């Protein structure tokens, strides 16, 4: 497993990370405590050293499980978590969003509670969780910098929202010199991830990108197929049929990335992201130890050639040669629903 650094923080992360939203919650299937701990420890045995959780995942339960699973390996790993949601005073209904709180004094309390649940002396990588631009005030930045100066956290990040947008937030993260910005980014959903990379290059910034949903919610790892019946409550079940249908067609156009058996399609999707120097780590949604074994090995598979990268870019520019919309346009806005269009970014969907 290769490693990269978050910005200029000196904090190292494995190229493939473990998104701990899959443990401590029931959003991706119920797991016992033993099963969750086993997954985390199996990830470590496969070379994964970056574990990314959040205080709201399971209302602290994910942090507790990460802390338990990695207690004897603290010096071997980088642990990231997120703050921002006030789950202490507000119940959560399903996948619905609960109120946020970025009051500086409250933020400090949340950091200390996370440190306690994780069983660590400090947090390697602290991220603001789905914060809007207007919420990240000078006072918020002051407390983040103070926490870093005090040694309570090492690196700072901004994890962007669950939808594909949040363009203004990512640009603001680069402007404020956050060590990393986390966003949805994959071959099929390149906006706004590629835009952030362009911003980083233009500004000669040190901000890194952490790519989540690298498999486009199950398409690029072929875990969502035409015959797949999603379980009740699965968030992908709310997507339009057109998304699945166009996704399966797009998948066939990138089969060349399997590279004569040298890498699976799921591994190729990760290597495509790693072909961007600004991407520090890729955090797939692991459902099983088999997923971990296969996807962790992506770091050691052949990197994409320049020709392969160019071919993917050409396919993306032509909507993978599909002449219809995928039905997802309404989900591609940012917080205020305007900034992606205002920036003049082209969404690669015929008919859009």
């Amino acid at each position: 497993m290769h490693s990269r650094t978050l910005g200029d923080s000196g904090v190292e992360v494995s190229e493939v990370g473990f998104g701990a939203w899959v443990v401590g919650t029931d959003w991706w299937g119920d797991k016992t405590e033993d099963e969750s701990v086993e997954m985390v420890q199996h990830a470590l045995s496969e070379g994964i050293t970056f574990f990314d959780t959040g205080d709201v995942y399971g209302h602290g339960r994910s942090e507790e499980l990460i802390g338990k699973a990695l207690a004897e390996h603290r010096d071997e790993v980088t642990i990231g978590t997120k703050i921002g949601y006030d789950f202490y005073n507000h119940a959560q209904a399903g996948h619905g969003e609960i109120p946020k709180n970025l009051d500086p004094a409250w933020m400090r309390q949340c950091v200390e509670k996370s440190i306690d649940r994780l069983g660590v002396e400090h947090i390697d990588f602290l991220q603001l969780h789905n914060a809007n631009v207007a919420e990240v005030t000078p006072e918020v930045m002051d407390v983040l910098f103070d926490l870093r100066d005090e040694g309570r956290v090492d690196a700072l990040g901004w994890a962007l929202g669950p939808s594909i947008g949040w363009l203004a937030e990512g640009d603001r993260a680069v402007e404020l010199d956050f060590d990393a910005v986390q966003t949805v980014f994959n071959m099929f959903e390149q906006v706004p991830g590629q835009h952030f990379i362009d911003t980083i290059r233009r500004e000669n910034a040190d901000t890194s990108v952490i790519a989540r949903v690298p498999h486009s919610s199950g398409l690029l790892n072929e875990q969502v197929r035409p015959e797949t019946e999603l379980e009740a409550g699965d968030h992908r079940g709310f997507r339009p049929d057109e998304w699945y249908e166009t996704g399966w067609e797009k998948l066939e156009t990138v089969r060349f990335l399997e590279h004569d058996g040298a890498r699976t399609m799921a591994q190729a999707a990760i290597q495509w992201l790693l072909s961007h120097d600004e991407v520090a780590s890729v955090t797939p949604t692991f459902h099983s130890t088999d997923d971990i074994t296969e996807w962790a090995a992506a770091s050691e598979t052949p990197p994409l050639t320049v020709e392969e990268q160019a071919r993917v870019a050409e396919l993306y520019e032509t909507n993978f040669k599909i002449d219809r919309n995928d039905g997802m346009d309404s989900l591609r806005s940012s917080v205020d629903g305007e900034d992606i269009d205002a920036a003049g970014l082209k969404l690669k969907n015929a008919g859009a």
Side-chain angles (χ1 to χ4, degrees), residues 175-196:
E175 180 183 348
L176 292 172
D177 199 29
F178 276 79
D179 296 301
V181 58
Q182 183 171 166
T183 186
V184 172
F185 190 22
N186 57 67
M187 273 192 283
F188 294 167
E189 299 165 291
Q190 296 187 29
V191 175
Q194 185 61 56
H195 171 81
F196 297 148

Side-chain angles (χ1 to χ4, degrees), residues 243-295:
W243 176 76
Y244 299 101
E245 293 163 359
T246 59
W248 296 321
E249 293 180 41
K250 291 175 183 177
L251 179 65
E252 295 307 313
T253 70
V254 295
R255 287 287 184 193
F256 65 91
L257 292 175
E258 291 175 311
H259 203 64
D260 298 325
R263 56 189 175 222
T264 64
M265 181 56 64
Q267 291 170 335
I270 292 172
Q271 273 292 4
W272 178 81
L273 286 162
L274 294 173
S275 69
H276 302 81
D277 292 340
E278 293 78 9
V279 172
S281 187
V282 179
T283 55
T285 299
F286 297 114
H287 293 269
S288 66
T289 54
D290 287 343
D291 289 343
I292 294 169
T293 299
E294 177 186 348
W295 303 344

Side-chain angles (χ1 to χ4, degrees), residues 13-267:
V13 291
S14 51
E15 287 187 337
V16 179
F18 185 98
W21 47 83
V22 300
V23 298
T25 75
D26 59 1
W27 295 354
W28 284 270
D30 287 321
K31 293 181 178 62
T32 66
E33 179 174 312
D34 288 344
E35 289 170 336
S36 295
V37 169
E38 179 188 3
M39 283 188 69
V40 174
Q41 294 181 341
H42 183 70
L44 184 63
S45 73
E46 293 297 320
I48 292 175
T49 59
F50 173 44
F51 295 85
D52 182 39
T53 185
D55 66 354
V56 75
Y57 300 150
H59 291 191
R61 187 58 177 152
S62 178
E63 289 181 326
E64 291 172 351
L65 290 170
I66 288 294
K68 177 180 179 179
L70 299 176
E72 297 180 5
H73 306 278
R74 182 64 183 102
D75 294 338
E76 305 169 38
V77 299
T78 295
I79 297 176
T81 194
K82 310 175 189 75
I83 61 170
Y85 284 110
D86 183 6
F87 61 89
Y88 298 96
N89 297 303
H90 300 276
Q92 184 158 2
H95 294 184
E97 189 171 34
I98 59 180
K100 287 178 280 186
N101 187 344
L102 289 180
D103 174 79
W106 178 257
M107 289 171 62
R108 280 188 168 276
Q109 292 181 45
C110 291
V111 167
E112 295 306 321
K113 289 178 183 294
S114 288
I115 287 174
D116 183 60
R117 284 190 291 264
L118 289 165
V120 298
E121 295 183 356
H122 71 284
I123 295 170
D124 301 314
F125 179 42
L126 178 69
Q127 300 156 86
L128 298 179
H129 203 171
N130 298 351
N132 300 354
V133 165
E135 295 170 330
V136 184
T137 63
E139 291 75 22
V140 168
M141 294 306 302
D142 285 343
V143 73
L144 290 176
F145 292 147
D146 286 346
L147 286 165
R148 186 173 61 185
D149 292 343
E150 295 162 12
R152 303 307 280 161
V153 304
D154 292 338
L156 299 172
W158 194 331
L160 307 186
S163 67
I164 196 84
W166 302 74
L167 186 77
E169 287 67 33
D171 280 350
R172 184 63 171 156
V174 176
E175 180 183 348
L176 292 172
D177 199 29
F178 276 79
D179 296 301
V181 58
Q182 183 171 166
T183 186
V184 172
F185 190 22
N186 57 67
M187 273 192 283
F188 294 167
E189 299 165 291
Q190 296 187 29
V191 175
Q194 185 61 56
H195 171 81
F196 297 148
I197 288 175
D198 293 341
T199 300
I200 291 167
R201 292 175 181 176
R202 184 179 65 252
E203 301 299 327
N204 195 27
D206 291 316
T207 304
S208 296
V209 172
I210 295 174
R212 62 186 182 86
V213 199
H215 296 128
S216 194
S217 300
L219 293 173
L220 284 161
N221 57 18
E222 301 183 81
Q223 289 186 347
V224 176
R225 301 170 182 266
E227 67 274 14
T228 301
E229 293 188 12
L230 299 171
E231 296 180 4
D234 191 310
H235 69 285
R236 294 169 298 186
F238 297 98
R239 297 194 174 205
D241 290 343
E242 294 89 342
W243 176 76
Y244 299 101
E245 293 163 359
T246 59
W248 296 321
E249 293 180 41
K250 291 175 183 177
L251 179 65
E252 295 307 313
T253 70
V254 295
R255 287 287 184 193
F256 65 91
L257 292 175
E258 291 175 311
H259 203 64
D260 298 325
R263 56 189 175 222
T264 64
M265 181 56 64
Q267 291 170 335

